Amino acid sequence: MAETTLVIASRHYQIRCRDGEEAHLAHLASLIEGKARVAQQSTPGLTEVRTLLFAALFLADELNELKRENAGRQARLQLDGDDEPSARAIEALAGRIEKLRERLAARTDNA
């Protein structure tokens, strides 16, 4: 187990993690630190707990928005994927209609 120190909202937190995860945790802490700074700047005088609460809410809001966007993309991809069978079916119908038109035209010419 590795040990690392994370700084969030000007406070140092000693945590243990799996070996090699220190850089990843430092990156995550920097994201939280950024949101904590935004919270402190927009509402000066927040307690540490409220600063971290707002940072968590900001991050949760971003995550929720990304999930919503991803769900929309997935739905659009699914619809786009469904267009291929529909397009083939329409082409097949168009071919059948064209053959029927040719047969009707041939009958009209022979009549």
Side-chain angles (χ1 to χ4, degrees):
M1 290 289 271
E3 222 176 86
T4 188
T5 301
L6 304 177
V7 180
I8 301 172
S10 303
R11 182 147 183 195
H12 292 38
Y13 296 92
Q14 291 277 111
I15 63 165
R16 291 185 184 179
C17 60
R18 285 183 267 180
D19 292 332
E21 288 189 350
E22 299 89 349
H24 179 65
L25 286 174
H27 172 69
L28 295 176
S30 73
L31 295 173
I32 298 168
E33 170 65 20
K35 297 303 178 188
R37 265 190 261 117
V38 169
Q40 289 170 333
Q41 289 170 353
S42 63
T43 312
L46 287 176
T47 64
E48 178 184 352
V49 171
R50 289 190 68 78
T51 297
L52 294 176
L53 169 67
F54 279 103
L57 288 171
F58 292 154
L59 289 168
D61 183 49
E62 283 183 19
L63 176 62
N64 188 54
E65 183 63 28
L66 289 171
K67 284 183 175 182
R68 201 176 2 210
E69 288 173 10
N70 188 44
R73 270 192 222 109
Q74 292 294 329
R76 283 191 300 279
L77 286 174
Q78 195 171 30
L79 287 175
D80 290 345
D82 289 344
D83 285 348
E84 183 62 32
S86 299
R88 279 184 276 165
I90 290 170
E91 286 177 14
L93 285 172
R96 290 172 62 188
I97 291 169
E98 183 61 26
K99 285 181 185 176
L100 284 171
R101 187 197 64 75
E102 289 171 2
R103 278 200 263 160
L104 286 172
R107 283 185 188 168
T108 305
D109 291 341
N110 292 335

